[in-house]
Amino acid sequence: MHRGASEAITYLRMRSQARRALGLVWLATAVLWAAACKSATHSVAPGTAPTATLPPPLAIDKRPPSDRVPRAPSTGQRLRFDRISLEQGLSQSTVFCMLQDRQGFLWFGTEDGLNKYDGYKFTVYKHNPDDSNSLSSSWISAILEDEAGMFWIGTSEGLDKYDPRLDQFTHYRHNPDDPDSLSNGEITALYQDQEGRLWIGTSGRGLDRLDPEQSGFAHYRHNPDDPHSLSSNTISALYQDSAGVLWVGTQDAGLNRLVLSDAKGERWQRYTSDPGDPHSLSHNTIAAISEGPSGALWIGMDGGGLDKLVLSADAPSEAIGTDRKREQFIHYPHDPDHTSGN
């Protein structure tokens, strides 16, 4: 196995357990829209399709991503879960990441291949050591479709860009002799911001940024002597809120906010768990970041439940990130004595 991959693999496996549950809910929502596929195929070589006879397809939503808002089930409505796994052609049963592209196709990243599902069948892409245009690795940890319709795939051996028109992969790898190359081959998170820049989280070497007009990567790393650097080099989640603020979650050192200042340039503001502060972050292992309709930031944690970052009642909205004394986290931990009753 690739040296240094064991820590990333252990973390990704833990994170995949939570993502599997999210994936089942997502698939169940799709099933409410249409009948699900119930027959079997087998994994196929990259770029080819299986020939097995299949039933009617799972309906694929072809609307723009911004218009795809699944309806919540009504009160008392029973959800039906249909399993899509190896018997239906999925290359491997551990799913780390999922994407629905602008054409409506579903993409699944697994421990052994990238899967594209068209409602009828799976097309599986894997690393082929004899084909330089194949994936860098079959271990897929992140998928992103950019504004130009290109797909960025994070793997255990580097970053790939897939051009669906050419059916070809371009590879970005770490080169110790090139300071502008990718920091690390073990990719943990991908995000494209409002300016079209690609942010790449790595395992152990910090955060990279690729600008559309540049060929090299900018690097952001933890510096133990700089309190305004990233809190950790192991990145687990990336998100940009509606105000354009980039948030970076780490595996072991909490949450970071990118602060831009004309006088000081770029610096990072850290949010970490403090047992002595009931309004601090619940846990330092960040699994997911998202923004709610009201503008509050929600943070999912591995072992710490769910937090919401809000302001005190007397604080103006612009105080987020500028007035730490008025910021506070509301905690939503697991309560084993409370059940929904459904």
Side-chain angles (χ1 to χ4, degrees), residues 8 13 18 39 43 45 70 86 88 123 139 145 157 185 190-191 200 235 242 260 270 282-283 297 302 314 323:
R13 280 179 172 156
S39 191
S43 298
L86 304 180
Q88 288 75 39
T123 300
W139 183 287
E145 182 184 17
E157 298 289 342
L190 295 172
Y191 196 90
I200 305 102
I235 310 302
S242 57
L260 303 177
R270 302 175 183 178
S282 292
H283 199 278
L297 197 72
D302 186 356
D314 62 340
D323 190 347

Side-chain angles (χ1 to χ4, degrees), residues 28-29 32-33 70-80 342:
T29 303
L32 290 177
W33 292 335
R71 295 180 181 177
S74 60
T75 303
Q77 183 178 1
R78 182 179 294 274
L79 292 174
R80 179 169 65 89
N342 293 329

Side-chain angles (χ1 to χ4, degrees), residues 10-319:
T10 299
Y11 173 68
L12 286 170
R13 280 179 172 156
M14 290 190 299
R15 188 170 66 174
S16 73
Q17 294 175 0
R19 290 188 172 181
R20 285 179 197 166
L22 177 61
L24 285 173
V25 173
W26 184 87
L27 287 172
T29 303
V31 168
L32 290 177
W33 292 335
C37 177
K38 293 185 178 179
S39 191
T41 63
H42 298 282
S43 298
V44 296
T48 63
T51 58
T53 301
L54 294 169
L58 177 67
I60 298 295
D61 189 351
K62 295 299 184 69
R63 293 175 297 171
S66 59
D67 294 338
R68 299 183 202 135
V69 182
R71 295 180 181 177
S74 60
T75 303
Q77 183 178 1
R78 182 179 294 274
L79 292 174
R80 179 169 65 89
F81 291 87
D82 278 21
R83 183 181 300 272
I84 299 179
S85 190
L86 304 180
E87 295 78 13
Q88 288 75 39
L90 190 67
S91 65
Q92 207 271 342
S93 59
T94 300
V95 178
F96 289 133
C97 50
M98 299 182 294
L99 169 74
Q100 184 172 20
D101 67 26
R102 64 187 63 192
Q103 301 299 321
F105 298 113
L106 308 180
W107 297 78
F108 304 93
T110 75
E111 287 184 359
D112 189 27
L114 176 66
N115 297 254
K116 177 183 177 182
Y117 185 56
D118 65 2
Y120 288 92
K121 61 184 179 297
F122 282 95
T123 300
V124 179
Y125 300 86
K126 293 186 178 183
H127 171 65
N128 181 351
D130 297 323
D131 183 1
S132 60
N133 290 322
S134 70
L135 279 166
S136 294
S137 167
S138 294
W139 183 287
I140 311 300
S141 55
I143 315 170
L144 179 145
E145 182 184 17
D146 68 19
E147 296 173 345
M150 299 294 170
F151 293 86
W152 296 86
I153 298 102
T155 79
S156 61
E157 298 289 342
L159 177 68
D160 286 355
K161 180 173 71 172
Y162 175 65
D163 187 335
R165 296 167 299 181
L166 302 176
D167 192 28
Q168 191 173 74
F169 292 91
T170 301
H171 309 301
Y172 298 83
R173 297 189 176 98
H174 172 62
N175 181 353
D177 297 324
D178 181 2
D180 295 327
S181 70
L182 191 68
S183 288
N184 189 1
E186 299 164 20
I187 309 302
T188 56
L190 295 172
Y191 196 90
Q192 185 176 39
D193 67 19
Q194 297 167 7
E195 297 180 15
R197 299 175 299 184
L198 185 68
W199 296 85
I200 305 102
T202 74
S203 176
R205 293 301 299 274
L207 179 68
D208 283 1
R209 189 191 73 215
L210 180 63
D211 292 4
E213 305 301 325
Q214 299 180 7
S215 58
F217 292 85
H219 309 302
Y220 301 84
R221 293 178 181 146
H222 170 65
N223 181 349
D225 298 322
D226 182 3
H228 297 298
S229 67
L230 277 174
S231 61
S232 169
N233 282 328
T234 302
I235 310 302
S236 55
L238 299 170
Y239 186 79
Q240 186 179 40
D241 65 24
S242 57
V245 175
L246 183 72
W247 298 85
V248 179
T250 71
Q251 182 182 343
D252 54 2
L255 183 67
N256 297 260
R257 177 186 188 271
L258 180 59
V259 179
L260 303 177
S261 169
D262 292 337
K264 298 181 180 180
E266 296 177 328
R267 59 191 180 92
W268 296 96
Q269 183 170 296
R270 302 175 183 178
Y271 300 79
T272 55
S273 178
D274 180 0
D277 181 1
H279 298 302
S280 71
L281 194 67
S282 292
H283 199 278
N284 283 329
T285 300
I286 309 301
I289 309 169
S290 189
E291 183 178 12
S294 66
L297 197 72
W298 292 84
I299 303 98
M301 289 154 290
D302 186 356
L306 181 67
D307 278 8
K308 180 170 69 170
L309 178 60
V310 298
L311 294 165
S312 59
D314 62 340
S317 60
E318 59 269 19

